[in-house]
Amino acid sequence: MITTGFGFETTALQVVEGVDLTGRRAVVTGGASGIGVETVRALATAGAEVTIAARDIDAGERVATALAKSTGAHISVAHLDLSSQASVKAFARNWDGPLHLLVNNAGVMATPLTRTPEGWELQFATNHLGHFALTLGLFNSLRAEGARVVNVSSSAHLMSDVVFDDIHYAHREYDRWEAYGQSKTANILFGVEAGHRWAGEGITMNALMPGSIATNLQRHLTQQELQDRIRQSGATATRRVKTTEQGAATTLVAATSPLLEGVSGKYLEDCNEATPAEPGNHLRGLAAYAQSEESAAHLWKVSEETLWSLKAA
C-alpha cells in the first residue's frame, strides 16, 4: 500500500516542493480550467515545460500567459477536443519530440444523452476513448525516454462497471451518472492493462480521484441535483469539499512521487493509494471490478476495435 505522508488538505504546490522537473515536457488535457490550471501551475513551478491541451484556445492562452508570468516557465497551448477523433489525431500528429508526462485530466460529467458524430455516448467518448486514442497516438514520444501517464478518474467509478454489452446506450435506458461512472471505471482499467502491455517500454500509468471540488465540471447539474447525488451515495459522513489547489494534489503525487517510479495500475485518493471500497459507500475506495485484469484486457481490445472501425468506414 503506497502512503506518501500527504493527505486531504495537501496542495499541489506542497507536493512538488523539492521536485525538479527541469528538462521534462508535460501535456495536461483540460489545463485551462479547474484543477487542470493548478496542475499546470505546479508542474511549471517544478520546472517542467508544459503544454495546455484545451478545447478553448483563448482560455488556454489566458491561463498560459498568467502562469508563465508567475512561474517563469515555458507554457504553450494547443487545441484538443477529446470528443473529436480528428482533433485527437491532429494533436498527436503535431507533437514533436519526447513527452515525459501526460496528464489525462479533461472530462465531462453527467451530461444529457449526447452522441458524437460516430454515434458514441459523449461521456465515454470523451473521458475514455478520447484519452485512449491520445495516449496511443503519443506512444512513441512517451516511449522515447520513459514517461508517466496520469488518468484523472473519480469516486463515481463506484456507480458502474463498464457495461460491455451496451457501452453507448443503444438499447438500455440512459442514466447520466451511470454513464459517467463507467467512463471513470474505464480510466482506471486503462492503467491496469497498460501496466501489462507497456511494462518493458518504460511507461507507467496510474489513476486517481481528485476529490469533491466545485469546478465547471458540474455545469450540467443544479445544486439540488448534486446534493441528491451525495445523499444517494450512501455516505455516512459529511462530504468535504476541496479547493482546486488541494484537488490537484493527488494528480501531482501520481505524476512526480518517487514512490510510484516504475509502478502502474494504481488508484489514488487524498494523495495515497486507495483502499477497497466498502459496500454501499459510493464516495471512497476502489471497486474490485476496476482492478479486474480480464475487464482491463477486454476494454483495451474493445477500445482499439472501436477506433479501428473509423479507419474501415
Side-chain angles (χ1 to χ4, degrees):
M1 186 66 65
I2 295 172
T3 56
T4 64
F6 299 123
F8 180 96
E9 296 182 351
T10 302
T11 67
L13 288 177
Q14 289 172 331
V15 172
V16 298
E17 285 181 7
V19 173
D20 185 5
L21 297 179
T22 303
R24 311 293 282 180
R25 303 176 76 202
V27 169
V28 180
T29 70
S33 65
I35 64 172
V37 174
E38 299 308 321
T39 300
V40 174
R41 187 194 310 277
L43 292 173
T45 298
E49 177 186 322
V50 186
T51 296
I52 295 173
R55 187 171 51 185
D56 186 337
I57 288 291
D58 291 339
E61 293 288 359
R62 288 192 295 271
V63 170
T65 299
L67 293 183
K69 185 179 298 184
S70 63
T71 64
H74 178 72
I75 301 174
S76 58
V77 182
H79 180 262
L80 177 65
D81 180 351
L82 287 161
S83 69
S84 165
Q85 284 296 310
S87 177
V88 172
K89 290 178 183 177
F91 183 96
R93 184 174 58 248
N94 292 333
W95 184 264
D96 183 39
L99 176 60
H100 307 97
L101 178 60
L102 172 60
V103 181
N104 291 325
N105 166 80
V108 292
M109 183 180 79
T111 60
L113 178 58
T114 308
R115 299 194 182 280
T116 66
E118 298 85 4
W120 304 337
E121 189 276 315
L122 179 64
Q123 296 188 79
F124 195 83
T126 302
N127 299 346
H128 171 63
L129 289 173
H131 281 127
F132 182 85
L134 177 66
T135 307
L136 268 60
L138 293 169
F139 176 75
N140 287 330
S141 293
L142 291 163
R143 183 175 58 176
E145 297 183 26
R148 293 191 189 191
V149 181
V150 177
N151 298 332
V152 178
S153 181
S154 170
S155 60
H157 83 275
L158 295 164
M159 298 177 188
S160 179
D161 195 353
V162 178
V163 182
F164 289 107
D165 289 341
D166 191 11
I167 288 175
H168 298 289
Y169 292 86
H171 307 292
R172 56 187 171 133
E173 183 178 355
Y174 181 71
D175 181 303
R176 60 184 178 177
W177 284 108
E178 181 185 71
Y180 181 61
Q182 75 163 355
S183 74
K184 296 288 100 178
T185 295
N187 292 156
I188 304 171
L189 290 173
F190 185 15
V192 173
E193 181 63 12
H196 296 305
R197 290 180 179 247
W198 293 350
E201 303 292 350
I203 303 171
T204 61
M205 185 186 299
N206 294 288
L208 66 104
M209 157 62 171
S212 179
I213 309 125
T215 70
N216 66 0
L217 184 64
Q218 293 95 20
R219 61 187 176 275
H220 297 288
L221 301 167
T222 66
Q223 188 61 37
Q224 185 59 53
E225 287 171 327
L226 282 171
Q227 292 302 317
D228 289 346
R229 174 51 57 181
I230 292 170
R231 284 196 298 272
Q232 293 166 12
S233 70
T236 57
T238 301
R239 187 181 182 93
R240 298 171 66 195
V241 177
K242 292 185 178 184
T243 65
T244 51
E245 294 86 352
Q246 293 168 337
T250 308
T251 298
L252 271 298
V253 168
T256 68
S257 174
L259 296 174
L260 286 157
E261 189 71 36
V263 175
S264 281
K266 298 296 185 181
Y267 173 72
L268 312 176
E269 61 185 8
D270 293 341
C271 297
N272 296 285
E273 184 176 355
T275 56
E278 297 179 359
N281 189 338
H282 291 168
L283 292 181
R284 291 190 60 81
L286 174 63
Y289 54 69
Q291 285 287 279
S292 166
E293 294 185 0
E294 180 180 355
S295 291
H298 188 51
L299 175 66
W300 193 292
K301 179 175 182 290
V302 168
S303 300
E304 283 190 327
E305 290 174 348
T306 300
L307 298 181
W308 289 340
S309 69
L310 297 181
K311 299 178 181 179

